[in-house]
Amino acid sequence: QVQLVESGGGSVQAGGSLKLSCIASGYTYNMPCMGWFRQAPGKEREGVAGISAGGLTIYDDSVKGRFTISRDNGKKTLYLQMNSLKLEDTAMYYCAAGCGSEWRATPLSGRVYYYWGQGTQVTVSS
């Protein structure tokens, strides 16, 4: 059974940085796709960034130029480097993995991912 465990969340001042990690387990193949999502209180979950097995990346416009998604297939770990954090980045961040061919069309849609972590909280203060 695939399991995803996020870490690295915390509290940071606006303009600061955090790096999230997601360790995956329970499979032997190269996970075809992975992504980061977030959900703020009272808001819908939104896709932040996605990455294919080969390293193709996609970002939501709200984080382009500030966040970087990466993966280490050997360590089965997904990362999200977050720089220049803003108050509006405050949310619970979730790791997602596994998808079908529909990922190419909608890589930031939560519907295309099969597995989810429990989340790690990121709080940005002024």
Side-chain angles (χ1 to χ4, degrees):
Q1 183 176 356
V2 176
Q3 291 187 321
L4 304 174
V5 179
E6 304 96 334
S7 63
S11 297
V12 64
Q13 287 191 322
S17 298
L18 282 174
K19 186 173 185 178
L20 306 183
S21 299
C22 171
I23 299 177
S25 62
Y27 63 97
T28 58
Y29 52 88
N30 198 18
M31 190 63 74
C33 57
M34 302 185 80
W36 288 100
F37 288 75
R38 66 186 179 186
Q39 187 167 20
K43 295 187 177 181
E44 293 187 354
R45 181 183 62 193
E46 62 177 357
V48 174
I51 186 168
S52 69
L56 176 67
T57 59
I58 185 77
Y59 297 93
D60 184 77
D61 287 345
S62 66
V63 305
K64 279 181 181 177
R66 300 189 298 120
F67 290 10
T68 302
I69 188 172
S70 61
R71 61 190 289 174
D72 185 327
N73 292 331
K75 295 182 178 179
K76 293 183 179 178
T77 302
L78 178 71
Y79 303 100
L80 185 68
Q81 176 67 48
M82 305 185 295
N83 298 328
S84 301
L85 283 161
K86 303 177 180 180
L87 297 179
E88 53 264 41
D89 294 320
T90 294
M92 184 72 79
Y93 283 71
Y94 299 92
C95 171
C99 61
S101 59
E102 64 272 17
W103 184 86
R104 290 180 178 273
T106 55
L108 296 183
S109 170
R111 292 191 298 271
V112 308
Y113 290 88
Y114 301 152
Y115 310 107
W116 293 85
Q118 294 299 308
T120 185
Q121 178 68 37
V122 171
T123 302
V124 184
S125 60
S126 58

